[in-house]
């Protein structure tokens, strides 16, 4: 859902994800679990971070995206509340991009060298306020609200998000049915499809000293290239090893979800079995309706 929400915001504000850069906070760099190997102060594009989120299941990339896009949501909400309180009826600025290094301070196709919501090269005044807000829990609160808003809108009735990365939390809840429904929806998005089908991804960011730093990630979904074209692996103590997998052949598109498999590697065995079972069932149904 984190990837899906970020992409929806990108479209709404017409953000150039390949030319907008975010800085990794200490909070993001030190989160536990699976990682994209980000360090405090690293700077990567939004597009690169989405790959760091989806391929190696980078919890650090999830926090980075949630902090910055949550900051955007927080600022939009704050401006709206202030305008209502002041009785003003002025148009809302839908982009919180800060110009850095001569780029355009807007999220269109010509945006270059831009930073989102309090990321890099902060100055005094408003930018200092943005930076202070990033240190609070407000950006994360607003991003999680957006995740849960989309969950309700998409009909995920048994799902609730308490963090952007899926690490164990008493209020993190979902079901195989909801995960399957979400996977079906996100696989209709061309940007999501472009990301999750990648077996490997390499990019160059910058470290805290503004020196180039190479990143290389391998997709944890080992079924890619075997008829499967996404979506996401996962593992928690409560849910065990999980996989939501997308299979496409000709006009057939299936999404198969497994949870709490006996071992991590069992996912690569059980999902193809279930896929074959589903195909056989569909063929029998087609034969039945053709005969009747």
């Amino acid at each position: 859902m984190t990837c899906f929400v970020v992409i929806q915001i990108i479209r709404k504000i017409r953000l150039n994800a390949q030319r907008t850069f975010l800085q990794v906070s200490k909070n993001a760099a030190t989160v536990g679990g699976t990682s994209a190997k980000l360090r405090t102060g690293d700077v990567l594009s939004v597009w690169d971070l989405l790959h760091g989120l989806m391929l190696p299941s980078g919890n650090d990339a999830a926090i980075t995206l949630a902090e910055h896009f949550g900051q955007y949501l927080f600022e939009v909400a704050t401006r709206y509340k202030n305008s209502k309180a002041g009785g003003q009826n002025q148009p809302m600025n839908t982009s919180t991009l800060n110009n850095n290094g001569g780029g355009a301070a807007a999220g269109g196709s010509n945006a270059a060298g831009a930073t989102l919501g309090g990321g890099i090269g902060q100055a005094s005044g408003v930018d200092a306020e943005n930076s202070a807000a990033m240190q609070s829990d407000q950006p994360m609160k607003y991003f999680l609200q957006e995740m849960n808003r989309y969950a309700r809108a998409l009909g995920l009735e048994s799902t609730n998000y308490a963090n952007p990365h899926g690490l164990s939390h008493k209020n993190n809840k979902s079901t195989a049915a909801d995960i399957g429904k979400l996977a079906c929806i996100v696989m209709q998005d061309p940007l999501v499809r472009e990301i999750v089908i990648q077996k490997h991804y390499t990019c160059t960011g910058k470290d805290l000293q503004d020196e180039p730093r190479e990143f290389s990630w391998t997709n944890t979904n080992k079924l890619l290239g075997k008829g499967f074209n996404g979506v996401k692996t996962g593992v928690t103590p409560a849910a065990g090893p999980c996989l939501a997998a997308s299979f496409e052949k000709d006009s057939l598109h299936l999404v198969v979800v497994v949870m709490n498999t006996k071992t991590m590697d069992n996912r690569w065995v059980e999902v193809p079995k279930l896929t074959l079972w589903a195909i056989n069932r569909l063929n029998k149904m087609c034969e039945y309706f053709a005969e009747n």
Side-chain angles (χ1 to χ4, degrees):
M1 179 64 84
T2 297
C3 178
F4 181 75
V5 169
V6 168
I7 287 175
Q8 303 317 301
I9 298 174
I10 284 172
R11 286 205 178 93
K12 182 177 180 179
I13 64 177
R14 293 183 296 172
L15 187 73
N16 188 326
Q18 295 180 341
R19 301 175 70 182
T20 303
F21 301 88
L22 308 183
Q23 189 169 50
V24 179
S25 69
K26 181 179 179 180
N27 182 47
T30 56
V31 68
T34 52
S35 170
K37 308 302 181 185
L38 305 180
R39 300 172 186 165
T40 303
D42 282 344
V43 177
L44 298 90
S45 74
V46 172
W47 185 244
D48 292 340
L49 285 165
L50 286 170
H51 286 78
L53 168 70
M54 298 301 287
L55 271 65
S57 295
N59 296 334
D60 43 5
I63 292 289
T64 301
L65 290 164
E67 285 178 341
H68 287 277
F69 282 89
Q71 176 70 13
Y72 161 76
L73 295 170
F74 171 67
E75 290 178 18
V76 169
T78 300
R79 289 195 187 105
Y80 177 76
K81 291 175 183 176
N82 290 342
S83 66
K84 293 286 284 186
Q88 300 173 357
N89 188 21
Q90 57 187 9
M92 182 68 64
N93 178 11
T94 59
S95 176
T96 63
L97 291 175
N98 300 316
N99 187 25
N100 186 54
S109 59
N110 293 322
T115 63
L116 182 67
I120 312 165
Q122 294 296 348
S124 58
V126 174
D127 284 346
E129 293 176 5
N130 290 346
S131 183
M134 286 288 287
Q135 303 303 318
S136 74
D137 62 353
Q138 290 301 309
M140 189 62 66
K141 174 185 174 182
Y142 275 83
F143 191 83
L144 292 173
Q145 286 179 348
E146 191 74 349
M147 291 178 70
N148 286 309
R149 186 182 72 81
Y150 270 106
R152 301 290 83 78
L154 298 176
L156 310 182
E157 298 178 358
S158 301
T159 294
N160 185 76
Y161 299 103
N163 55 49
H165 42 57
L167 286 174
S168 292
H169 189 286
K170 63 180 181 180
N171 293 325
N172 258 349
K173 300 175 182 178
S174 194
T175 63
D178 276 4
I179 291 171
K181 183 182 292 187
L182 177 61
C184 288
I185 292 168
V186 302
M187 285 302 290
Q188 297 176 44
D189 190 299
L191 291 182
V192 175
R193 290 171 66 93
E194 183 178 347
I195 293 168
V196 298
I197 200 172
Q198 301 296 325
K199 290 184 179 181
H200 306 281
Y201 185 82
T202 301
C203 63
T204 302
K206 290 189 176 181
D207 64 16
L208 189 59
Q209 285 72 43
D210 203 33
E211 294 294 328
R213 182 161 180 245
E214 297 292 328
F215 297 88
S216 184
W217 301 307
T218 298
N219 202 317
T220 54
N221 184 357
K222 295 183 180 180
L223 293 180
L224 292 177
K226 302 176 182 179
F228 294 88
N229 60 343
V231 172
K232 187 72 175 62
T233 63
V235 58
T236 66
C242 305
L243 174 64
S246 168
F247 176 88
E248 282 193 81
K249 184 177 182 182
D250 301 325
S251 60
L252 177 66
H253 186 191
L254 297 173
V255 167
V256 178
V257 178
V258 294
M259 303 175 73
N260 201 24
T261 57
K262 290 182 179 179
T263 67
M264 298 285 277
D265 288 340
N266 263 61
R267 294 175 291 182
W268 324 130
V269 177
E270 297 301 325
V271 166
K273 284 183 178 179
L274 285 169
T275 302
L276 183 59
W277 174 85
I279 292 171
N280 290 335
R281 290 280 294 178
L282 287 170
N283 287 337
K284 288 180 180 179
M285 289 176 62
C286 290
E287 291 173 3
Y288 173 82
F289 287 114
E291 294 172 357
N292 295 278

